[in-house]
């Protein structure tokens, strides 16, 4: 599944439009529902863990790409501490929701 950033990568300014923001929120809700449906269908925690890991890897790849672009063009790097904190929060919340104990 393609991320919203991938879809709008050539028109980043469109992400600031209110209609697009609503569409992005709706897509995120649908993605969550799809994951929940897959889990209910199989009742398999392995599937939930696999989905979570795929999302984490995709996020890490996006951060690495963004970091390379910042180095290449000499821009100020984003706050990676916040990114790491958000990533940990995501992992812990998904594990809590899926009752996967680390």
């Amino acid at each position: 599944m393609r991320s919203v950033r991938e879809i709008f990568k050539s028109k980043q300014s469109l992400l600031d439009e209110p209609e697009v923001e609503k569409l992005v929120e709706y897509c995120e809700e649908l993605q969550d529902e799809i994951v929940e449906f897959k889990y209910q269908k199989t009742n398999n925690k392995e599937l939930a863990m696999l989905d979570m890991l795929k999302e984490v890897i995709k996020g890490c790849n996006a951060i690495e790409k963004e970091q390379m672009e910042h180095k290449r063009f000499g821009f100020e790097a984003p706050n990676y501490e916040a990114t790491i904190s958000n990533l940990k929060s995501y992992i812990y919340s998904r594990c809590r929701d899926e009752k996967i104990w680390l």
Side-chain angles (χ1 to χ4, degrees), residues 4 12 14 22 41 43 52 59 64 67-71 73 80 88 102:
V4 174
Q12 289 283 332
L14 291 176
K22 288 179 185 177
K41 186 176 178 182
N43 199 17
M52 181 177 58
E64 287 176 341
Q67 185 178 18
M68 287 188 322
E69 289 175 359
H70 283 292
K71 285 181 182 178
F73 296 111
Y80 290 110
K88 285 173 61 177
L102 299 177

Side-chain angles (χ1 to χ4, degrees), residues 2-28:
R2 290 177 43 194
S3 72
V4 174
R5 299 246 181 254
E6 287 176 292
I7 295 169
F8 287 99
K9 71 180 175 183
S10 63
K11 298 278 186 173
Q12 289 283 332
S13 61
L14 291 176
L15 288 172
D16 297 330
E17 295 293 326
E19 293 84 4
V20 175
E21 288 177 357
K22 288 179 185 177
L23 181 61
V24 168
E25 289 175 22
Y26 181 68
C27 288
E28 289 172 352

Side-chain angles (χ1 to χ4, degrees), residues 21 29 39 53 63 65:
E21 288 177 357
E29 289 174 19
Y39 176 69
L53 290 173
I63 290 169
K65 182 179 177 184

Side-chain angles (χ1 to χ4, degrees), residues 27-72:
C27 288
E28 289 172 352
E29 289 174 19
L30 287 177
Q31 287 175 341
D32 290 341
E33 288 179 18
I34 289 170
V35 170
E36 184 65 29
F37 177 72
K38 285 181 184 176
Y39 176 69
Q40 288 175 353
K41 186 176 178 182
T42 61
N43 199 17
N44 186 348
K45 289 186 180 186
E46 184 177 322
L47 182 62
M49 188 67 131
L50 182 62
D51 182 62
M52 181 177 58
L53 290 173
K54 285 180 182 179
E55 288 296 317
V56 168
I57 294 298
K58 188 171 27 173
C60 290
N61 290 338
I63 290 169
E64 287 176 341
K65 182 179 177 184
E66 186 177 334
Q67 185 178 18
M68 287 188 322
E69 289 175 359
H70 283 292
K71 285 181 182 178
R72 179 178 173 202

